[in-house]
Amino acid sequence: GGMMTTIVGSVLEKAGTMEHLLDRIPNVSAQNGNIKVFGRGEPIIYINGRQMRDRSELDRLSSDNIKSVEVISNPGARYAASTKAVIRINTKKRTKDGFGFETRTFGKNDENSRIGGYEQLNINYQKKGLETFTVLKIKDAESSIKQDLVQNTYVDNVWHQRNDIKGSIRNRQLYCGLGVNYQISNNSFIGASFNFNRMFNKAVSNIATTIYKDYAFTEESASDIAKPGNMSLASSNVYYMGKIGIVDINFNTDWLWDKDFSKVNTLERYQEYGGDWQDKAVHT
């Protein structure tokens, strides 16, 4: 029910980030942080046999660290019944001890000249079976939207409605991840991690609507919407993987805390034909 792709020694080894690598794996799509298996949807991801609990775990890997990737489209009984697909990532065995770090800088400029990007620092230390890691990431992204919607309704009268929608969304992120893994023996592993994610966002949009009845102007309205918000997310994981005889032990426990806050400020303006503009402010 699966297909194995060998990465080491192939051109895929130079793909770069894990998102770039997974997007080149057959039957897998990875774009803008969304990973899907064709025809199955979002997969459960395992890294060296341990289920990935935090998306940032992929950010710590790069294509030249990967040995193979297995895509399972029809998961068997060893997985939960709700599992649509599975991706199993196996990394190369590290042979050198010591300290290392990696920095990543990413930037983009869209068709509306909106600039975004992120800066990330990965710090690793390895000594025999012990491995520690730290991830720091700062992200700032802005996107825009522009839509023109025309709707005609043919009943006793002909109603013509036009909506002009313009808006922008800005997201800022501060992320920190800490963790430790220890290889007790060839068949036993233990580890723990802690992650904190702080996100700020603000969406601004304007919706202008014009309505005609039998092609005669009837009314128009406009809504100016501002939606600021922020979210804090903290999580931790402790795991143990071992083997006693023919029995495999795979223990995972997670702790999660999150706080989400947002508000919407809307200024609605409305005018019927021949009337005055009516204003109304709505806060939620």
Side-chain angles (χ1 to χ4, degrees), residues 43-53 57-58 61 68 70 72 78-80 83 85-90 241 250 252:
I44 301 297
I45 298 178
Y46 287 80
I47 300 175
N48 293 332
R50 181 172 63 88
Q51 184 175 343
M52 185 185 76
R53 302 288 179 171
E57 291 186 49
L58 287 181
L61 300 175
S68 63
E70 182 181 6
I72 303 173
R78 65 181 297 187
Y79 304 102
T83 304
V86 174
I87 295 179
R88 302 185 70 91
I89 299 171
N90 297 305
M241 294 174 56
N250 191 331
N252 269 282

Side-chain angles (χ1 to χ4, degrees), residues 14 28 49 54 70 102 133 138 231 258:
K14 305 301 181 183
V28 178
D54 186 349
E70 182 181 6
E102 174 190 27
F133 61 85
I138 299 175
M231 183 180 78
D258 71 275

Side-chain angles (χ1 to χ4, degrees), residues 231-235 255-260:
M231 183 180 78
S232 298
L233 174 65
S235 63
W255 171 84
L256 177 70
W257 173 88
D258 71 275
K259 181 180 180 181
D260 195 352

